Amino acid sequence: PAASLKNLVLVAGHAVYTGVDYSEANKEASWFLKEYQKVNGEAQSFVDHIRLGVEEAALDPDALLLFSGGQTRRAAGPRSEGLSYWVVAEAANWFEHPEVRNRTFTEEHARDSFENLLFSLCRFYELAGHYPETITVISYTLKEARFRTLHREAVRWPAEYFRFVGTPVPPEAKGAKEGEGRTVASFAADPYGCGGELLAKRLRRDPFAVGPIHPSRCPEMRSLLGYCGPDLFPGKLPWSGL
């Protein structure tokens, strides 16, 4: 459905929408939030990421926009973060860029930031029949080093074809910096999230047993999707020639 599109704009999801009125997406009560997320400005930051994704895609007619995130919260029901973001964009009339709607899709398996990137590469292939030429990731600036260095290197994506667009975490988000430090340390030791707390977190964030994206959707990524280890994946990748 998207064979002509060349570039990936990826918005990493952070929460599931549980409200009834999608025009109230900037209110914390509309989202299922963990305790640490229950701060003023958190919901607005989700809307900002959605808007930034749409604006980035609007600037590039060759861009495919993906909202990424799985069914991560049992209490929120079997709704995904990716679909939540898509419907918020729809309710906002695509932030005055309705032409982006037909180039926007969801990735609904990811359970953490590494899977946001990894599974979105697979999803892009599934939709376009080829891999992207460039990637733009939208998230919190606090997570830029995690995406730009650890995750990008883990999938061996070339730095010159990778962009990051971020927003600050809400000022009241206490402990965010410390939490990010712990997550970065975990991924530095275990880049593919195969064990310890990273694996435990993935299992907790899959209460409906959706599981990871299936390698049959992107056969050339099969080995990477199944790879574990502290060292970088050594095999051949379809974007090795970029």
Side-chain angles (χ1 to χ4, degrees):
S4 64
L5 302 180
K6 298 175 182 173
N7 304 312
L8 170 60
V9 176
L10 164 59
V11 178
H14 293 97
V16 174
Y17 200 90
T18 52
V20 176
D21 184 351
Y22 281 88
S23 67
E24 297 191 343
N26 62 343
K27 297 181 179 177
E28 278 68 38
S30 297
W31 299 84
F32 184 83
L33 302 177
K34 303 292 279 184
E35 281 304 315
Y36 70 88
Q37 294 177 306
K38 292 178 181 176
V39 296
N40 287 330
E42 187 80 7
Q44 184 59 52
S45 73
F46 303 154
V47 177
D48 290 343
H49 292 167
I50 296 165
R51 177 181 51 79
L52 280 169
V54 171
E55 289 174 351
E56 285 289 329
L59 288 170
D60 177 7
D62 291 329
L64 184 156
L65 173 59
L66 266 186
F67 293 125
S68 169
Q71 299 174 9
T72 53
R73 310 294 182 207
R74 178 179 286 280
R79 333 180 194 196
S80 74
E81 296 174 356
L83 184 58
S84 295
Y85 280 36
W86 190 96
V87 181
V88 169
E90 175 88 342
N93 196 29
W94 299 90
F95 302 93
E96 299 181 19
H97 297 288
E99 74 282 1
V100 172
R101 184 181 193 269
N102 289 338
R103 294 189 278 121
T104 305
F105 301 86
T106 60
E107 182 290 304
E108 300 182 54
H109 292 265
R111 301 163 294 185
D112 62 28
S113 55
F114 176 62
E115 290 188 342
N116 286 139
L117 179 58
L118 180 68
F119 294 172
S120 290
L121 279 164
C122 181
R123 183 76 172 124
F124 188 101
Y125 178 84
E126 186 178 38
L127 291 162
H130 56 86
Y131 290 95
E133 295 177 8
T134 68
I135 299 174
T136 300
V137 173
I138 291 150
S139 185
Y140 293 110
T141 45
L142 186 70
K143 297 185 178 185
E144 179 168 5
R146 188 202 301 193
F147 274 105
R148 187 183 288 280
T149 306
L150 294 170
H151 298 340
R152 181 192 61 74
E153 289 179 354
V155 301
R156 295 194 3 238
W157 186 266
E160 59 267 36
Y161 299 113
F162 185 93
R163 289 177 64 235
F164 185 91
V165 177
T167 67
V169 295
E172 293 179 26
K174 304 296 181 211
K177 196 171 181 181
E178 294 75 13
E180 180 61 13
R182 288 191 297 273
T183 302
V184 163
S186 296
F187 273 115
D190 182 10
Y192 300 91
C194 294
E197 177 55 24
L198 292 176
L199 177 59
K201 197 181 286 186
R202 277 183 192 164
L203 296 175
R204 286 198 302 272
R205 289 178 176 173
D206 192 13
F208 300 98
V210 175
I213 203 162
H214 198 274
S216 63
R217 296 176 166 204
C218 48
E220 292 170 287
M221 287 181 64
R222 179 180 292 274
S223 296
L224 176 61
L225 286 167
Y227 182 75
C228 278
D231 299 319
L232 291 185
F233 175 75
K236 189 174 184 298
L237 290 168
W239 46 87
S240 297
L242 274 181

